[in-house]
Amino acid sequence: MDLLTLIVWVVIIFNVVAIVMILLGDADIILQIKEKFGKSVKCLAGQVVWITGASSGIGEELAYELARAGCRLVLSARRTNELERVKKECMLRGSIKEEDILVLKLDSIDFTSHKTAVDKVFKHFKHIDILVNNAGRSQRAMWLKTSLQVDRDMLELNVLGVLSLSKLVLPYMEKRGSGHIVNISSVAGKLGAPMSGSYTGAKHAVQGWFDALRVEIGDKNIHVTNVCPGPVFSNILAVAFTEKEGEEFKGEMNPNEKRMKTDRCAYLIGVAIANKMWEVWITKNPVLFLCYANQYTPNLSKWISGKLGLKAIQKLREGQH
Ligand SMILES: NC(=O)c1ccc[n+]([C@@H]2O[C@H](COP(=O)([O-])OP(=O)(O)OC[C@H]3O[C@@H](n4cnc5c(N)ncnc54)[C@H](OP(=O)(O)O)[C@@H]3O)[C@@H](O)[C@H]2O)c1
């Protein structure tokens, strides 16, 4: 066999393996490889991790995952009764001491309160290793009917809240010479998600903002991970924004829908954090395939989306295909 034939075979085999991994996997190829051969979540033992939006859904399950790994935790959200419940469960599942978990009430859009919150964390733990910006709300609304106030509210919560906290925590990380910011973005931060115009815009914004930061702080031992989950079981539909200011969607998830289980999503986020990955996609198919199509053949993926139409894409998104 000559060299050219060998190269052609290597390329063919590489592509076949990649396509099989995409079709059978529930995360991007690199994350699948890291899950099998990379660092385990346990390597985060002892680290101080601040999780916003820890009172339900992905944030709650991530707290359990990191408690099992032996992390020290700051749990934030608005509902402190729910945070206390999560704290108790963390102590049971992770057998960590009470003083290793700080429940800290935080409203992401009350920017003036963030400095006090950061001070409380530093008073308790002396430093922060990892900040997980997870708090957020989704949306179900038609683009044209969405009021400008909803666009504004979405940006305040899903973008400015993230920036406000990160800007307060980062200088400490810089001074210490280490740190890690993790943003729970969404597949909607990569693709246009119908009936979620403001949400799509907000998640794209977070990705852009932090991709720029990653380059600026690349030499400072501070890491940035953007996590893009697809449909995952959580409380997100109940409290999603609609087109009207102040309204909640009050949607329910059916257990038969093809969404990812919350604990699986949290585990994969743990793997991404442990391996300090830059960007990860965590989703079942066909959404994972669409992510790859969008990344490598953007025009083809937009053509496919157009042909499928709003109803079909929305079904994929709600795991009802
Ligand atoms: N589930 C999915 O399919 C999916 C897919 C892609 C991305 N995501 C992202 O994952 C993240 C977590 O969502 P989830 O699915 O776990 O939804 P969830 O169950 O509704 O959890 C959202 C969390 O955010 C908190 N939160 C909401 N508004 C807040 C505010 N103003 N201040 C502080 N905390 C606030 C909530 O706590 P309180 O109400 O107690 O404040 C709750 O703990 C979000 O950023 C979401 O965009 C979810």
Side-chain angles (χ1 to χ4, degrees):
M1 197 189 304
D2 63 18
L3 186 64
L4 186 65
T5 318
L6 182 70
I7 291 172
V8 169
W9 271 111
V10 169
V11 170
I12 290 173
I13 292 167
F14 177 85
N15 279 297
V16 170
V17 171
I19 288 167
V20 170
M21 287 179 80
I22 292 167
L23 293 179
L24 299 183
D26 61 359
D28 66 80
I29 294 174
I30 308 294
L31 183 54
Q32 288 185 47
I33 293 172
K34 293 286 183 190
E35 186 190 358
K36 293 209 167 51
F37 306 109
K39 288 186 182 161
S40 95
V41 187
K42 295 256 182 265
C43 79
L44 299 172
Q47 301 216 10
V48 177
V49 188
W50 186 358
I51 307 172
T52 69
S55 60
S56 75
I58 296 173
E60 174 179 350
E61 282 298 330
L62 184 62
Y64 302 148
E65 186 61 47
L66 297 178
R68 275 192 296 270
C71 293
R72 292 176 287 162
L73 298 171
V74 185
L75 305 177
S76 284
R78 292 165 302 176
R79 291 169 297 163
T80 40
N81 54 335
E82 290 300 314
L83 292 174
E84 290 295 346
R85 174 184 62 76
V86 176
K87 174 178 175 171
K88 275 192 195 137
E89 200 58 38
C90 282
M91 282 157 59
L92 279 175
R93 298 191 196 193
S95 60
I96 45 176
K97 289 179 274 169
E98 183 160 16
E99 61 267 29
D100 285 339
I101 307 181
L102 175 67
V103 162
L104 184 64
K105 186 175 178 159
L106 182 88
D107 187 340
S108 296
I109 55 173
D110 183 4
F111 308 126
T112 53
S113 71
H114 290 184
K115 174 82 176 77
T116 313
V118 171
D119 289 346
K120 281 185 186 161
V121 176
F122 278 94
K123 196 170 169 216
H124 191 89
F125 285 120
K126 313 284 180 264
H127 71 274
I128 298 167
D129 292 296
I130 303 166
L131 169 65
V132 183
N133 289 308
N134 166 73
R137 285 173 62 191
S138 186
Q139 181 183 37
R140 293 296 180 271
M142 293 302 280
W143 199 105
L144 257 185
K145 290 188 175 166
T146 303
S147 76
L148 199 59
Q149 188 56 45
V150 169
D151 292 329
R152 204 171 269 142
D153 292 346
M154 175 70 81
L155 291 173
E156 290 232 327
L157 174 60
N158 285 3
V159 183
L160 293 180
V162 173
L163 292 179
S164 164
L165 210 55
S166 303
K167 280 175 192 274
L168 287 167
V169 169
L170 271 163
Y172 291 99
M173 292 181 166
E174 217 179 344
K175 207 167 157 196
R176 194 163 177 252
S178 70
H180 192 165
I181 305 277
V182 180
N183 301 309
I184 309 304
S185 172
S186 169
V187 161
K190 304 297 292 179
L191 306 166
M195 301 200 65
S196 295
S198 334
Y199 183 67
T200 298
K203 292 298 188 184
H204 272 70
V206 166
Q207 304 250 139
W209 237 292
F210 283 85
D211 280 344
L213 172 73
R214 188 187 297 108
V215 184
E216 280 187 31
I217 55 167
D219 59 348
K220 296 201 165 105
N221 195 30
I222 298 173
H223 307 274
V224 176
T225 301
N226 284 331
V227 177
C228 305
V232 178
F233 284 105
S234 77
N235 197 38
I236 203 160
L237 276 188
V239 294
F241 285 98
T242 66
E243 57 206 30
K244 263 197 223 143
E245 184 188 342
E247 192 175 65
E248 290 182 347
F249 183 63
K250 301 204 186 314
E252 282 177 16
M253 290 185 183
N254 178 333
N256 299 324
E257 285 166 357
K258 292 173 187 142
R259 297 173 189 273
M260 184 178 279
K261 287 195 174 142
T262 331
D263 56 351
R264 172 74 182 154
C265 177
Y267 164 70
L268 288 171
I269 293 172
V271 174
I273 297 174
N275 289 282
K276 298 186 167 68
M277 298 176 72
W278 299 314
E279 179 175 306
V280 292
W281 305 340
I282 298 175
T283 180
K284 292 181 172 190
N285 271 303
V287 178
L288 182 61
F289 177 79
L290 276 182
C291 288
Y292 273 96
N294 183 65
Q295 184 82 18
Y296 295 108
T297 54
N299 287 319
L300 178 66
S301 98
K302 285 172 181 63
W303 181 80
I304 293 173
S305 302
K307 287 286 164 201
L308 286 174
L310 171 60
K311 273 194 182 158
I313 297 275
Q314 198 50 20
K315 274 191 169 179
L316 288 185
R317 200 173 165 216
E318 307 293 12
Q320 292 164 352
H321 45 284

